[in-house]
Coordinates of all heavy atoms in Angstrom, one line a residue:
R1 N -52.4 -50.0 -11.5 CA -51.3 -49.6 -10.7 C -51.3 -50.2 -9.3 O -52.4 -50.4 -8.7 CB -51.4 -48.0 -10.6 CG -50.2 -47.4 -9.8 CD -50.1 -46.0 -10.1 NE -49.6 -45.3 -8.9 CZ -48.3 -45.0 -8.7 NH1 -47.4 -45.5 -9.5 NH2 -47.9 -44.5 -7.6
L2 N -50.1 -50.6 -8.8 CA -50.1 -51.3 -7.5 C -50.2 -50.4 -6.3 O -50.6 -50.8 -5.2 CB -48.7 -52.1 -7.4 CG -48.5 -53.2 -8.3 CD1 -47.1 -53.7 -8.2 CD2 -49.5 -54.3 -8.0
A3 N -49.9 -49.1 -6.5 CA -49.9 -48.1 -5.3 C -51.3 -47.9 -4.8 O -52.3 -47.8 -5.5 CB -49.4 -46.8 -5.8
T4 N -51.4 -47.9 -3.5 CA -52.7 -47.7 -2.8 C -52.6 -46.3 -2.1 O -53.7 -45.8 -1.7 CB -53.0 -48.7 -1.7 OG1 -51.9 -48.7 -0.7 CG2 -53.0 -50.1 -2.3
V5 N -51.5 -45.7 -2.0 CA -51.3 -44.4 -1.4 C -50.9 -43.4 -2.5 O -50.0 -43.7 -3.4 CB -50.3 -44.4 -0.3 CG1 -50.0 -43.1 0.3 CG2 -50.7 -45.4 0.8
N6 N -51.4 -42.2 -2.5 CA -51.0 -41.1 -3.4 C -49.5 -40.9 -3.4 O -48.9 -40.7 -2.3 CB -51.8 -39.8 -3.1 CG -51.6 -38.8 -4.2 OD1 -51.4 -39.2 -5.4 ND2 -51.7 -37.5 -3.8
E7 N -48.9 -41.0 -4.6 CA -47.4 -40.8 -4.8 C -46.7 -41.9 -4.1 O -45.4 -41.7 -3.8 CB -47.0 -39.4 -4.3 CG -47.6 -38.3 -5.1 CD -47.0 -37.0 -4.9 OE1 -45.8 -36.9 -4.6 OE2 -47.7 -36.0 -5.1
G8 N -47.2 -43.0 -3.8 CA -46.5 -44.2 -3.3 C -45.6 -44.9 -4.3 O -46.0 -44.8 -5.5
W9 N -44.6 -45.5 -3.9 CA -43.7 -46.3 -4.8 C -43.7 -47.7 -4.4 O -43.1 -48.2 -3.5 CB -42.3 -45.7 -4.7 CG -41.2 -46.3 -5.5 CD1 -41.4 -47.1 -6.6 CD2 -39.8 -46.2 -5.4 NE1 -40.2 -47.5 -7.2 CE2 -39.2 -47.0 -6.4 CE3 -39.0 -45.6 -4.5 CZ2 -37.9 -47.1 -6.6 CZ3 -37.6 -45.7 -4.6 CH2 -37.0 -46.5 -5.7
P10 N -44.5 -48.5 -5.2 CA -44.6 -49.9 -4.9 C -43.4 -50.7 -5.4 O -43.0 -50.6 -6.5 CB -45.9 -50.4 -5.6 CG -46.0 -49.4 -6.7 CD -45.4 -48.1 -6.3
I11 N -42.9 -51.6 -4.5 CA -41.7 -52.4 -4.8 C -42.1 -53.8 -4.4 O -42.6 -54.1 -3.3 CB -40.5 -52.0 -4.0 CG1 -40.1 -50.5 -4.5 CG2 -39.3 -52.9 -4.3 CD1 -38.9 -50.0 -3.7
V12 N -41.8 -54.8 -5.3 CA -42.0 -56.2 -5.1 C -40.7 -56.8 -4.6 O -39.7 -56.6 -5.3 CB -42.5 -57.0 -6.3 CG1 -42.7 -58.4 -6.0 CG2 -43.9 -56.4 -6.7
V13 N -40.7 -57.4 -3.4 CA -39.5 -58.0 -2.8 C -39.7 -59.5 -2.5 O -40.7 -59.8 -2.0 CB -39.1 -57.3 -1.5 CG1 -37.8 -57.9 -0.9 CG2 -38.9 -55.8 -1.7
G14 N -38.7 -60.3 -3.0 CA -38.8 -61.7 -2.6 C -37.6 -62.1 -1.7 O -36.5 -61.6 -1.9
V15 N -37.9 -62.8 -0.7 CA -36.9 -63.3 0.2 C -36.9 -64.8 0.2 O -38.0 -65.4 0.4 CB -37.2 -62.8 1.7 CG1 -36.1 -63.3 2.6 CG2 -37.2 -61.3 1.7
H16 N -35.8 -65.4 -0.1 CA -35.6 -66.9 -0.1 C -34.4 -67.3 0.8 O -33.3 -66.9 0.5 CB -35.3 -67.4 -1.6 CG -35.2 -68.9 -1.7 ND1 -34.6 -69.4 -2.8 CD2 -35.6 -69.8 -0.8 CE1 -34.7 -70.8 -2.5 NE2 -35.2 -71.0 -1.4
V17 N -34.7 -68.0 1.8 CA -33.7 -68.4 2.8 C -33.1 -69.7 2.3 O -33.8 -70.7 2.2 CB -34.3 -68.6 4.2 CG1 -33.2 -69.0 5.2 CG2 -34.9 -67.3 4.7
L18 N -31.8 -69.6 1.9 CA -31.1 -70.8 1.4 C -30.8 -71.8 2.5 O -30.9 -73.0 2.4 CB -29.9 -70.5 0.6 CG -30.2 -69.6 -0.7 CD1 -28.9 -69.2 -1.4 CD2 -31.2 -70.4 -1.6
N19 N -30.2 -71.3 3.6 CA -29.8 -72.1 4.7 C -29.8 -71.3 6.0 O -29.8 -70.0 5.9 CB -28.4 -72.8 4.5 CG -27.3 -71.8 4.1 OD1 -27.3 -70.7 4.6 ND2 -26.5 -72.2 3.2
G20 N -29.8 -71.9 7.1 CA -29.8 -71.2 8.4 C -31.2 -70.8 8.7 O -32.2 -70.8 7.9
T21 N -31.4 -70.4 10.0 CA -32.6 -69.9 10.5 C -32.6 -68.4 10.9 O -31.7 -68.1 11.7 CB -33.2 -70.7 11.7 OG1 -33.3 -72.1 11.3 CG2 -34.5 -70.2 12.2
W22 N -33.4 -67.6 10.3 CA -33.4 -66.2 10.6 C -34.5 -66.0 11.7 O -35.6 -66.5 11.5 CB -33.8 -65.4 9.4 CG -32.7 -65.2 8.4 CD1 -32.3 -66.1 7.4 CD2 -31.9 -64.1 8.2 NE1 -31.3 -65.6 6.7 CE2 -31.0 -64.3 7.2 CE3 -31.8 -62.8 8.9 CZ2 -30.0 -63.4 6.8 CZ3 -30.8 -61.9 8.6 CH2 -29.9 -62.2 7.5
D23 N -34.2 -65.2 12.7 CA -35.2 -64.8 13.6 C -35.0 -63.3 13.8 O -33.9 -62.7 13.6 CB -35.2 -65.6 15.0 CG -33.9 -65.4 15.7 OD1 -33.0 -66.3 15.5 OD2 -33.8 -64.5 16.6
L24 N -36.1 -62.6 14.3 CA -36.1 -61.2 14.4 C -35.8 -60.5 13.1 O -35.1 -59.4 13.1 CB -35.2 -60.7 15.5 CG -35.4 -61.2 16.9 CD1 -34.3 -60.8 17.9 CD2 -36.8 -60.8 17.4
A25 N -36.1 -61.1 12.0 CA -35.8 -60.6 10.7 C -36.6 -59.4 10.3 O -37.8 -59.4 10.6 CB -35.9 -61.7 9.6
A26 N -36.0 -58.5 9.6 CA -36.7 -57.3 9.1 C -36.1 -56.8 7.8 O -34.9 -56.9 7.6 CB -36.7 -56.2 10.1
L27 N -36.9 -56.3 6.9 CA -36.4 -55.6 5.7 C -36.4 -54.1 6.1 O -37.3 -53.5 6.7 CB -37.4 -55.8 4.6 CG -37.4 -57.2 3.9 CD1 -38.5 -57.3 2.9 CD2 -36.0 -57.4 3.2
R28 N -35.3 -53.5 5.6 CA -35.1 -52.0 5.8 C -34.9 -51.4 4.5 O -34.1 -51.9 3.7 CB -33.9 -51.8 6.7 CG -33.7 -50.4 7.0 CD -32.5 -50.2 8.0 NE -32.3 -48.8 8.3 CZ -31.3 -48.1 7.7 NH1 -30.4 -48.8 7.0 NH2 -31.1 -46.8 7.9
F29 N -35.6 -50.3 4.3 CA -35.6 -49.6 3.0 C -34.9 -48.2 3.3 O -35.4 -47.3 3.9 CB -37.0 -49.4 2.4 CG -37.6 -50.7 2.1 CD1 -38.4 -51.4 3.1 CD2 -37.4 -51.3 0.9 CE1 -39.0 -52.6 2.8 CE2 -38.0 -52.5 0.6 CZ -38.8 -53.2 1.6
D30 N -33.6 -48.2 2.9 CA -32.7 -47.1 3.2 C -32.5 -46.1 2.0 O -32.2 -46.6 0.9 CB -31.4 -47.6 3.7 CG -30.4 -46.5 4.0 OD1 -30.8 -45.6 4.6 OD2 -29.2 -46.7 3.6
A31 N -32.8 -44.9 2.2 CA -32.5 -43.9 1.1 C -31.1 -43.5 1.2 O -30.7 -42.9 2.2 CB -33.5 -42.7 1.3
P32 N -30.3 -43.8 0.2 CA -28.8 -43.5 0.4 C -28.5 -42.0 0.3 O -27.5 -41.5 0.8 CB -28.2 -44.2 -0.8 CG -29.2 -44.5 -1.8 CD -30.5 -44.5 -1.0
E33 N -29.4 -41.2 -0.2 CA -29.3 -39.7 -0.2 C -30.6 -39.1 0.0 O -31.6 -39.5 -0.4 CB -28.8 -39.3 -1.7 CG -27.5 -39.8 -2.1 CD -27.2 -39.5 -3.5 OE1 -28.1 -39.0 -4.3 OE2 -26.1 -39.8 -4.0
G34 N -30.5 -38.0 0.8 CA -31.7 -37.2 1.1 C -32.6 -37.9 2.2 O -32.2 -38.7 2.9
Q35 N -33.8 -37.3 2.3 CA -34.8 -37.8 3.3 C -35.1 -39.2 3.1 O -35.3 -39.7 2.0 CB -36.0 -36.9 3.2 CG -37.0 -37.2 4.3 CD -38.3 -36.3 4.1 OE1 -38.2 -35.3 3.4 NE2 -39.3 -36.6 4.9
G36 N -35.3 -39.9 4.2 CA -35.6 -41.3 4.1 C -37.0 -41.7 3.8 O -37.9 -40.8 3.6
F37 N -37.3 -42.9 3.5 CA -38.6 -43.4 3.2 C -39.4 -43.9 4.4 O -38.8 -44.1 5.4 CB -38.5 -44.7 2.3 CG -38.0 -44.4 0.9 CD1 -36.7 -44.6 0.5 CD2 -38.9 -43.8 -0.1 CE1 -36.3 -44.3 -0.7 CE2 -38.4 -43.5 -1.3 CZ -37.1 -43.8 -1.7
E38 N -40.7 -44.0 4.2 CA -41.6 -44.5 5.2 C -42.4 -45.6 4.5 O -42.9 -45.3 3.4 CB -42.5 -43.5 5.8 CG -43.3 -44.0 7.0 CD -43.9 -42.9 7.8 OE1 -43.3 -41.8 7.9 OE2 -45.1 -43.1 8.2
V39 N -42.6 -46.7 5.1 CA -43.4 -47.8 4.6 C -44.9 -47.4 4.8 O -45.2 -47.1 6.0 CB -43.1 -49.2 5.2 CG1 -44.0 -50.2 4.7 CG2 -41.7 -49.5 4.9
A40 N -45.7 -47.3 3.8 CA -47.1 -46.9 3.9 C -48.0 -48.1 3.9 O -49.1 -48.1 4.4 CB -47.5 -45.9 2.8
H41 N -47.6 -49.2 3.2 CA -48.5 -50.4 3.0 C -47.7 -51.6 2.7 O -46.6 -51.5 2.0 CB -49.5 -50.1 1.9 CG -50.5 -51.1 1.7 ND1 -51.6 -51.3 2.6 CD2 -50.6 -52.1 0.8 CE1 -52.3 -52.3 2.2 NE2 -51.8 -52.8 1.1
V42 N -48.1 -52.8 3.2 CA -47.4 -54.0 2.9 C -48.5 -55.1 2.6 O -49.5 -55.2 3.3 CB -46.6 -54.5 4.1 CG1 -45.9 -55.8 3.7 CG2 -45.5 -53.5 4.4
E43 N -48.3 -55.9 1.5 CA -49.1 -57.0 1.2 C -48.2 -58.2 1.0 O -47.2 -58.1 0.2 CB -50.0 -56.8 0.0 CG -51.2 -55.9 0.2 CD -52.2 -56.5 1.1 OE1 -52.4 -57.8 1.1 OE2 -52.9 -55.7 1.8
P44 N -48.4 -59.4 1.6 CA -49.5 -59.6 2.5 C -49.2 -58.9 3.8 O -48.1 -58.3 4.0 CB -49.4 -61.1 2.8 CG -48.0 -61.5 2.4 CD -47.6 -60.5 1.3
R45 N -50.1 -58.9 4.8 CA -50.0 -58.1 5.9 C -48.9 -58.5 6.9 O -48.8 -59.6 7.4 CB -51.4 -58.2 6.7 CG -52.4 -57.5 5.9 CD -53.8 -57.7 6.5 NE -53.8 -57.1 7.8 CZ -54.9 -57.1 8.6 NH1 -56.0 -57.7 8.3 NH2 -54.8 -56.4 9.8
F46 N -47.9 -57.6 7.0 CA -46.8 -57.8 8.0 C -46.8 -56.5 8.8 O -47.2 -55.4 8.3 CB -45.4 -57.9 7.2 CG -45.2 -59.3 6.7 CD1 -45.5 -59.6 5.4 CD2 -44.5 -60.3 7.4 CE1 -45.3 -60.9 4.9 CE2 -44.3 -61.5 6.9 CZ -44.6 -61.8 5.6
L47 N -46.2 -56.6 10.0 CA -46.0 -55.4 10.8 C -45.0 -54.5 10.1 O -44.0 -55.0 9.6 CB -45.6 -55.7 12.2 CG -46.6 -56.4 13.1 CD1 -46.0 -56.8 14.4 CD2 -47.9 -55.5 13.3
F48 N -45.2 -53.2 10.2 CA -44.1 -52.3 9.7 C -44.2 -51.0 10.5 O -45.2 -50.7 11.2 CB -44.3 -52.0 8.2 CG -45.7 -51.4 7.9 CD1 -45.8 -49.9 7.9 CD2 -46.8 -52.2 7.5 CE1 -47.1 -49.4 7.6 CE2 -48.0 -51.5 7.2 CZ -48.1 -50.2 7.2
Q49 N -43.0 -50.4 10.5 CA -42.9 -49.1 11.2 C -41.7 -48.3 10.6 O -40.6 -48.9 10.4 CB -42.6 -49.3 12.7 CG -42.5 -48.0 13.5 CD -42.2 -48.2 14.9 OE1 -42.1 -49.4 15.4 NE2 -42.2 -47.2 15.7
G50 N -41.9 -47.0 10.3 CA -40.9 -46.2 9.7 C -40.4 -46.8 8.4 O -41.2 -47.0 7.5
E51 N -39.2 -47.2 8.3 CA -38.6 -47.7 7.0 C -38.4 -49.2 7.1 O -37.7 -49.8 6.3 CB -37.3 -47.0 6.7 CG -36.3 -47.2 7.8 CD -35.0 -46.3 7.6 OE1 -35.1 -45.3 6.8 OE2 -34.0 -46.6 8.1
E52 N -39.0 -49.9 8.1 CA -38.8 -51.3 8.3 C -40.1 -52.1 8.2 O -41.2 -51.7 8.6 CB -38.1 -51.6 9.6 CG -36.7 -51.1 9.7 CD -36.0 -51.6 10.9 OE1 -36.6 -51.3 12.1 OE2 -35.0 -52.3 10.8
V53 N -40.0 -53.3 7.6 CA -41.0 -54.4 7.6 C -40.5 -55.6 8.4 O -39.4 -56.1 8.1 CB -41.4 -54.8 6.2 CG1 -42.4 -55.9 6.2 CG2 -41.8 -53.6 5.4
F54 N -41.3 -56.0 9.4 CA -40.8 -57.1 10.3 C -41.3 -58.4 9.8 O -42.5 -58.6 9.6 CB -41.3 -56.8 11.7 CG -40.9 -55.5 12.2 CD1 -41.8 -54.4 12.3 CD2 -39.6 -55.3 12.6 CE1 -41.4 -53.1 12.7 CE2 -39.2 -54.0 13.0 CZ -40.1 -53.0 13.1
L55 N -40.4 -59.4 9.5 CA -40.7 -60.6 8.9 C -40.8 -61.8 9.9 O -41.2 -62.9 9.5 CB -39.6 -61.0 7.8 CG -39.5 -59.9 6.7 CD1 -38.4 -60.4 5.8 CD2 -40.8 -59.8 5.9
D56 N -40.2 -61.6 11.1 CA -40.3 -62.6 12.1 C -39.3 -63.7 11.8 O -38.1 -63.5 11.4 CB -41.7 -63.2 12.3 CG -41.9 -63.8 13.6 OD1 -41.1 -63.6 14.5 OD2 -42.8 -64.6 13.8
T57 N -39.6 -65.0 12.0 CA -38.7 -66.1 11.9 C -38.9 -66.9 10.6 O -40.0 -67.1 10.1 CB -39.0 -67.1 13.0 OG1 -38.8 -66.4 14.3 CG2 -38.0 -68.3 13.0
M58 N -37.8 -67.2 9.9 CA -37.8 -67.9 8.6 C -36.7 -68.9 8.7 O -35.6 -68.7 9.0 CB -37.5 -66.9 7.5 CG -38.5 -65.7 7.4 SD -38.0 -64.6 6.0 CE -36.5 -63.9 6.6
G59 N -37.0 -70.2 8.2 CA -36.1 -71.3 8.2 C -35.7 -71.6 6.8 O -36.1 -71.0 5.8
P60 N -34.8 -72.6 6.7 CA -34.2 -73.0 5.3 C -35.4 -73.3 4.4 O -36.3 -74.0 4.7 CB -33.4 -74.2 5.7 CG -33.1 -74.1 7.2 CD -34.2 -73.4 7.8
G61 N -35.2 -72.8 3.1 CA -36.2 -73.1 2.1 C -37.4 -72.1 2.2 O -38.3 -72.1 1.3
H62 N -37.5 -71.3 3.2 CA -38.7 -70.3 3.3 C -38.6 -69.3 2.2 O -37.6 -68.7 1.9 CB -38.6 -69.7 4.7 CG -39.8 -68.8 4.9 ND1 -40.9 -69.2 5.5 CD2 -40.0 -67.5 4.6 CE1 -41.8 -68.2 5.6 NE2 -41.2 -67.1 5.1
R63 N -39.8 -69.1 1.6 CA -39.9 -68.0 0.5 C -41.0 -67.1 0.9 O -42.1 -67.5 1.3 CB -40.2 -68.6 -0.8 CG -39.0 -69.4 -1.4 CD -39.3 -69.9 -2.8 NE -38.2 -70.8 -3.1 CZ -37.9 -71.1 -4.4 NH1 -38.6 -70.6 -5.3 NH2 -36.9 -71.9 -4.7
T64 N -40.8 -65.8 0.8 CA -41.8 -64.8 1.1 C -41.7 -63.8 0.0 O -40.6 -63.3 -0.4 CB -41.6 -64.2 2.4 OG1 -41.6 -65.1 3.5 CG2 -42.6 -63.1 2.7
Y65 N -42.8 -63.4 -0.5 CA -42.9 -62.3 -1.5 C -43.8 -61.2 -1.0 O -44.9 -61.5 -0.5 CB -43.4 -62.8 -2.9 CG -42.5 -63.8 -3.5 CD1 -42.7 -65.2 -3.3 CD2 -41.5 -63.4 -4.3 CE1 -41.9 -66.1 -3.8 CE2 -40.6 -64.4 -4.9 CZ -40.8 -65.7 -4.6 OH -40.0 -66.6 -5.2
L66 N -43.3 -59.9 -1.0 CA -44.1 -58.9 -0.5 C -44.2 -57.7 -1.5 O -43.3 -57.5 -2.3 CB -43.4 -58.3 0.7 CG -43.0 -59.1 1.9 CD1 -41.6 -59.6 1.8 CD2 -43.3 -58.4 3.1
V67 N -45.3 -57.0 -1.4 CA -45.4 -55.7 -2.2 C -45.3 -54.7 -1.1 O -46.2 -54.6 -0.2 CB -46.7 -55.6 -3.0 CG1 -46.8 -54.2 -3.6 CG2 -46.8 -56.7 -4.0
V68 N -44.3 -53.9 -1.1 CA -44.0 -52.8 -0.1 C -44.2 -51.5 -0.8 O -43.6 -51.2 -1.8 CB -42.6 -53.0 0.5 CG1 -42.4 -51.9 1.5 CG2 -42.4 -54.3 1.2
E69 N -45.0 -50.7 -0.2 CA -45.3 -49.3 -0.8 C -44.5 -48.3 0.1 O -44.8 -48.1 1.3 CB -46.7 -49.1 -0.8 CG -47.1 -47.9 -1.7 CD -48.6 -47.8 -1.9 OE1 -49.3 -48.8 -1.7 OE2 -49.0 -46.8 -2.4
L70 N -43.6 -47.6 -0.6 CA -42.8 -46.6 0.1 C -43.3 -45.2 -0.2 O -43.8 -44.9 -1.3 CB -41.4 -46.7 -0.4 CG -40.7 -48.0 -0.1 CD1 -39.3 -48.0 -0.8 CD2 -40.6 -48.4 1.3
V71 N -43.2 -44.3 0.8 CA -43.5 -42.9 0.6 C -42.3 -42.1 1.0 O -41.8 -42.3 2.0 CB -44.8 -42.5 1.4 CG1 -45.1 -41.0 1.3 CG2 -46.0 -43.3 0.9
G72 N -41.9 -41.1 0.1 CA -40.8 -40.2 0.4 C -40.3 -39.6 -0.9 O -40.6 -40.2 -2.0
P73 N -39.5 -38.6 -0.8 CA -39.1 -37.9 -1.9 C -37.8 -38.4 -2.6 O -37.5 -38.0 -3.7 CB -38.8 -36.4 -1.4 CG -38.3 -36.7 0.0 CD -39.2 -37.9 0.5
A74 N -37.1 -39.3 -2.0 CA -35.8 -39.9 -2.5 C -36.1 -40.6 -3.9 O -37.2 -41.2 -4.0 CB -35.2 -40.8 -1.5
Q75 N -35.2 -40.6 -4.7 CA -35.3 -41.3 -6.0 C -34.6 -42.7 -6.0 O -34.7 -43.3 -7.0 CB -34.7 -40.4 -7.1 CG -35.5 -39.1 -7.3 CD -36.8 -39.3 -7.7 OE1 -37.2 -40.0 -8.6 NE2 -37.8 -38.7 -7.0
R76 N -33.9 -43.0 -5.0 CA -33.2 -44.3 -4.9 C -33.4 -44.9 -3.5 O -33.6 -44.2 -2.6 CB -31.7 -44.1 -5.2 CG -31.4 -43.4 -6.5 CD -29.9 -43.2 -6.8 NE -29.1 -42.8 -5.6 CZ -27.9 -43.0 -5.5 NH1 -27.2 -43.7 -6.3 NH2 -27.2 -42.5 -4.5
V77 N -33.3 -46.3 -3.5 CA -33.5 -47.0 -2.3 C -32.6 -48.2 -2.2 O -32.4 -48.8 -3.3 CB -34.9 -47.4 -2.0 CG1 -35.4 -48.4 -3.1 CG2 -35.2 -47.9 -0.6
D78 N -32.0 -48.5 -1.1 CA -31.2 -49.7 -0.9 C -32.1 -50.6 0.0 O -32.7 -50.1 1.0 CB -29.9 -49.4 -0.1 CG -28.9 -48.7 -1.0 OD1 -28.9 -49.0 -2.2 OD2 -28.1 -47.9 -0.5
V79 N -32.1 -51.9 -0.2 CA -32.9 -52.8 0.6 C -32.0 -53.7 1.3 O -31.0 -54.3 0.8 CB -33.8 -53.7 -0.4 CG1 -34.6 -54.7 0.4 CG2 -34.6 -52.8 -1.3
E80 N -32.2 -53.9 2.6 CA -31.4 -54.6 3.6 C -32.3 -55.6 4.3 O -33.4 -55.4 4.5 CB -30.7 -53.8 4.7 CG -29.9 -52.7 4.2 CD -29.4 -51.7 5.3 OE1 -29.8 -52.0 6.5 OE2 -28.6 -50.9 5.0
L81 N -31.7 -56.8 4.6 CA -32.3 -57.8 5.4 C -31.5 -57.9 6.7 O -30.2 -58.2 6.6 CB -32.4 -59.2 4.7 CG -33.0 -60.3 5.5 CD1 -34.4 -60.1 6.0 CD2 -32.9 -61.6 4.8
N82 N -32.1 -57.6 7.8 CA -31.3 -57.6 9.1 C -32.0 -58.6 10.1 O -33.2 -58.8 9.9 CB -31.4 -56.2 9.8 CG -30.8 -55.1 8.9 OD1 -29.6 -55.2 8.6 ND2 -31.5 -54.1 8.5
G83 N -31.3 -59.1 11.0 CA -31.8 -60.0 12.0 C -30.7 -60.8 12.6 O -29.5 -60.5 12.6
R84 N -31.1 -62.0 13.1 CA -30.1 -63.0 13.6 C -30.3 -64.2 12.8 O -31.4 -64.7 12.5 CB -30.4 -63.3 15.0 CG -30.2 -62.1 15.9 CD -30.3 -62.4 17.4 NE -31.4 -63.3 17.7 CZ -31.7 -63.7 18.9 NH1 -31.1 -63.3 19.9 NH2 -32.7 -64.6 19.1
M85 N -29.1 -64.7 12.3 CA -29.1 -66.0 11.6 C -28.4 -67.0 12.5 O -27.2 -66.8 12.9 CB -28.4 -65.9 10.2 CG -28.6 -67.1 9.4 SD -28.0 -67.1 7.7 CE -26.3 -67.1 7.9
D86 N -29.1 -68.1 12.8 CA -28.6 -69.1 13.7 C -28.1 -68.5 15.0 O -27.0 -68.9 15.5 CB -27.5 -69.9 13.0 CG -28.1 -70.7 11.8 OD1 -29.2 -71.1 11.9 OD2 -27.3 -71.0 10.9
G87 N -28.8 -67.5 15.5 CA -28.5 -66.9 16.8 C -27.4 -65.8 16.7 O -27.2 -65.1 17.7
Q88 N -26.8 -65.5 15.6 CA -25.8 -64.5 15.5 C -26.4 -63.3 14.7 O -27.0 -63.5 13.7 CB -24.6 -65.0 14.7 CG -23.9 -66.2 15.4 CD -23.3 -65.8 16.7 OE1 -22.7 -64.7 16.9 NE2 -23.5 -66.6 17.8
P89 N -26.0 -62.1 15.1 CA -26.4 -60.9 14.3 C -25.9 -61.0 12.9 O -24.8 -61.3 12.6 CB -25.8 -59.7 15.1 CG -25.5 -60.2 16.4 CD -25.2 -61.7 16.3
F90 N -26.8 -60.6 11.9 CA -26.4 -60.7 10.5 C -27.2 -59.7 9.7 O -28.4 -59.4 10.0 CB -26.7 -62.1 10.0 CG -26.0 -62.5 8.8 CD1 -24.7 -63.0 8.8 CD2 -26.7 -62.4 7.6 CE1 -24.1 -63.3 7.6 CE2 -26.0 -62.7 6.4 CZ -24.7 -63.2 6.4
A91 N -26.6 -59.2 8.6 CA -27.3 -58.3 7.7 C -26.9 -58.7 6.3 O -25.7 -59.0 6.1 CB -27.0 -56.9 8.1
A92 N -27.8 -58.4 5.4 CA -27.5 -58.6 4.0 C -28.1 -57.5 3.2 O -29.2 -57.1 3.6 CB -28.1 -60.0 3.5
R93 N -27.4 -57.0 2.2 CA -27.9 -55.9 1.4 C -27.9 -56.3 0.0 O -27.0 -56.9 -0.6 CB -27.0 -54.7 1.6 CG -27.4 -53.4 0.9 CD -26.6 -52.3 1.2 NE -27.4 -51.5 2.1 CZ -27.1 -50.3 2.4 NH1 -26.0 -49.7 1.9 NH2 -27.9 -49.5 3.1
I94 N -29.0 -55.9 -0.7 CA -29.0 -56.1 -2.2 C -27.9 -55.3 -2.8 O -27.8 -54.2 -2.5 CB -30.4 -55.7 -2.7 CG1 -31.5 -56.7 -2.2 CG2 -30.4 -55.8 -4.3 CD1 -32.9 -56.2 -2.6
P95 N -27.1 -55.9 -3.7 CA -25.9 -55.2 -4.2 C -26.2 -54.0 -5.1 O -25.3 -53.2 -5.4 CB -25.1 -56.3 -4.9 CG -26.1 -57.3 -5.2 CD -27.2 -57.3 -4.2
E96 N -27.4 -53.9 -5.6 CA -27.8 -52.8 -6.5 C -28.8 -51.9 -5.9 O -29.7 -52.3 -5.3 CB -28.3 -53.4 -7.8 CG -27.4 -54.2 -8.7 CD -26.3 -53.4 -9.3 OE1 -26.6 -52.2 -9.7 OE2 -25.2 -54.0 -9.4
T97 N -28.6 -50.6 -6.0 CA -29.5 -49.6 -5.6 C -30.7 -49.5 -6.6 O -30.5 -49.6 -7.8 CB -28.8 -48.2 -5.5 OG1 -27.8 -48.3 -4.5 CG2 -29.9 -47.1 -5.1
L98 N -31.9 -49.5 -6.1 CA -33.1 -49.4 -7.0 C -33.3 -47.9 -7.3 O -33.3 -47.1 -6.3 CB -34.3 -50.0 -6.3 CG -34.2 -51.4 -5.9 CD1 -35.5 -51.9 -5.2 CD2 -33.9 -52.3 -7.2
H99 N -33.6 -47.6 -8.5 CA -33.8 -46.2 -9.0 C -35.3 -46.1 -9.4 O -35.8 -46.9 -10.1 CB -32.9 -45.8 -10.1 CG -31.5 -45.9 -9.8 ND1 -30.8 -44.8 -9.4 CD2 -30.6 -46.9 -9.8 CE1 -29.5 -45.1 -9.1 NE2 -29.4 -46.4 -9.4
R100 N -35.9 -45.0 -8.9 CA -37.3 -44.7 -9.3 C -37.4 -44.3 -10.7 O -36.6 -43.5 -11.2 CB -37.9 -43.7 -8.3 CG -39.4 -43.5 -8.4 CD -40.0 -42.5 -7.6 NE -39.6 -42.4 -6.2 CZ -40.4 -42.1 -5.2 NH1 -41.7 -41.8 -5.5 NH2 -40.0 -42.1 -4.0

């Protein structure tokens, strides 16, 4: 089992930047219903707080794969990528909600 925390929900996320440069990038794990999630663990080691994992700067062709462990009672999660792309505020959301 991938979980390192009791009742944790491990999720593998891949980020591939096709074009543009992202800075101040962060992944946000949003519970569409009920109480939100908290990130309990991330591999490889990235800074995280609350429901966000901070990815920093990523350029064209950059690929990052993370195992993010969430803790919370919700049964569904939406994954967002927020930050600035080429200096402009930008956000992207995975079109499908993940169900536990």
Side-chain angles (χ1 to χ4, degrees):
R1 181 162 151 91
L2 293 173
T4 61
V5 177
N6 190 26
E7 298 192 26
W9 182 17
I11 297 175
V12 178
V13 178
V15 177
H16 181 199
V17 178
L18 298 176
N19 52 39
T21 299
W22 283 81
D23 60 270
L24 302 174
L27 284 172
R28 181 172 176 258
F29 298 90
D30 179 42
E33 297 173 350
Q35 183 180 349
F37 288 102
E38 186 168 325
V39 175
H41 184 76
V42 179
E43 284 294 328
R45 294 174 61 180
F46 282 90
L47 291 175
F48 61 90
Q49 181 178 5
E51 60 188 20
E52 291 187 304
V53 176
F54 305 103
L55 301 177
D56 201 19
T57 302
M58 301 179 294
H62 182 91
R63 290 182 189 203
T64 300
Y65 296 92
L66 304 100
V67 176
V68 178
E69 194 167 346
L70 304 175
V71 175
Q75 296 299 308
R76 302 184 315 153
V77 66
D78 290 326
V79 182
E80 300 175 357
L81 176 63
N82 300 300
R84 294 187 319 183
M85 187 172 73
D86 295 332
Q88 298 297 316
F90 197 83
R93 179 175 258 195
I94 294 175
E96 296 290 325
T97 297
L98 301 177
H99 299 267
R100 189 185 311 218

